[in-house]
Amino acid sequence: MNLKLKIWRQKDPNSRGKFVNYLLNDISTDSSFLEMLDVLNEELISKGEEPVIYDHDCREGICGACGLYINGRPHGPDSLITVCQLHMRHFNDGDEITIEPWRAKAFPILRDLMVDRSAFERIQQAGGFITVRAGSAPDANAIAIPTETLEHSMDFAECIGCGACVASCPNGAAMLFVGAKISHLGLLPQGQPERAKRARQMVAAMEREAFGACTNFRSCEAVCPKEISISGIARMNKDYRRAMFAGAAAPNGKKR
Ligand code: SF4
Ligand code: FES
């Protein structure tokens, strides 16, 4: 198939970017979207031009590095997959494809299609972990967890930190991501000792970054490649409220 690509090019975080058009011929419908970009880059390098910089790592939908806007949609036209899992059979011969980086204040563009998502890492470092004694191998099943609880936790553990939720949100909010991280650990018995501290510290870290606030658009949930539910945001808010008001009397005089 032959394609017309319209790609955002930006030299560095401080330069003004712009769209540049490229014509690309003879792309196999079996190739992945990133392989298509690889072919473009080989052509650019052979002509002595700068290749298009884009992020990727695992190329199998688990690391979250490859996020892009494709024709105005995070991760492209297919649902529940990341860009690296998108194949060219979803496009037609002669199509024009617009490719942009995530657009969010908290994710500054480093170059071309690559953004800095280290704000997510700082939130994670603030409390997205559990503390365990790792001196010796624990007995198998030392802490029994009901299957239902485990699966509920796993639903949130699937978040790969790709950032599509932030990029799609009109407010640039990171609540789906942070809600997933807090819910994943907060549902497990191993996550209980630090549950309140985790909610307090991760929400505080989120607020220190340039993310906006949630106003229930739910675009995050619609574009998430891992089907993370906004119920994680409700869990995060509940844990945060408990952590901030623990011990304080409720208006009805009862303990919260
Ligand atoms: S919640 Fe979904 S869209 Fe947001 S970072 Fe996690 S996997 Fe990506
Ligand atoms: S490259 Fe890892 S999720 Fe796409």
Side-chain angles (χ1 to χ4, degrees):
M1 64 200 312
N2 299 334
L3 301 164
K4 183 176 173 191
L5 305 177
K6 198 172 160 193
I7 302 183
W8 185 260
R9 304 294 316 251
Q10 184 170 331
K11 203 162 162 257
D12 56 53
N14 302 319
S15 305
R16 277 178 79 90
K18 63 172 183 183
F19 282 106
V20 178
N21 293 331
Y22 300 96
L23 295 174
L24 198 56
N25 297 328
D26 300 325
I27 293 296
S28 162
T29 49
D30 292 331
S31 60
S32 74
F33 198 84
L34 294 186
E35 284 165 350
M36 180 276 291
L37 287 178
D38 292 339
V39 172
L40 171 71
N41 276 347
E42 278 166 22
E43 283 191 13
L44 292 176
I45 291 168
S46 69
K47 286 192 274 184
E49 294 179 28
E50 285 289 323
V52 176
I53 305 299
Y54 62 92
D55 219 347
H56 61 97
D57 190 2
C58 69
R59 296 200 177 207
E60 52 186 30
I62 54 174
C63 77
C66 60
L68 296 171
Y69 258 102
I70 300 168
N71 288 343
R73 188 181 155 94
H75 292 300
D78 206 0
S79 294
L80 305 180
I81 58 165
T82 51
V83 171
C84 58
Q85 297 172 297
L86 177 65
H87 280 78
M88 296 312 294
R89 54 180 168 268
H90 290 284
F91 299 90
N92 299 312
D93 184 36
D95 271 1
E96 176 174 306
I97 306 175
T98 304
I99 309 168
E100 297 172 76
W102 286 160
R103 304 286 191 188
K105 195 174 166 195
F107 294 158
I109 296 172
L110 295 174
R111 186 164 175 177
D112 297 336
L113 304 173
M114 181 189 261
V115 300
D116 177 1
R117 288 180 299 119
S118 58
F120 269 8
E121 279 153 34
R122 290 190 287 278
I123 295 173
Q124 190 73 356
Q125 284 161 4
F129 50 81
I130 57 167
T131 308
V132 289
R133 288 172 65 84
S136 58
D139 289 341
N141 300 326
I143 301 177
I145 306 171
T147 309
E148 202 175 288
T149 306
L150 201 60
E151 284 179 358
H152 197 186
S153 171
M154 273 306 295
D155 287 344
F156 291 110
E158 285 196 29
C159 167
I160 54 172
C162 66
C165 46
V166 176
S168 72
C169 175
N171 307 322
M175 290 201 172
L176 195 67
F177 166 77
V178 184
K181 299 299 171 193
I182 285 176
S183 301
H184 158 212
L185 298 176
L187 279 159
L188 297 173
Q190 293 92 332
Q192 299 313 308
E194 287 144 326
R195 187 168 165 183
K197 188 171 148 202
R198 179 181 309 116
R200 211 171 37 240
Q201 294 186 348
M202 292 185 80
V203 170
M206 173 174 72
E207 287 177 351
R208 282 196 296 275
E209 305 292 339
F211 297 108
C214 173
T215 48
N216 292 317
F217 274 90
R218 297 183 72 173
S219 54
C220 53
E221 192 183 49
V223 302
C224 175
K226 299 297 173 182
E227 275 190 297
I228 302 294
S229 159
I230 57 163
S231 65
I233 299 178
R235 294 191 70 85
M236 173 186 72
N237 288 338
K238 205 166 158 191
D239 279 7
Y240 181 71
R241 256 196 326 271
R242 278 212 191 116
M244 296 308 282
F245 300 112
N252 60 9
K254 289 188 179 162
K255 216 173 167 196
R256 288 177 202 255

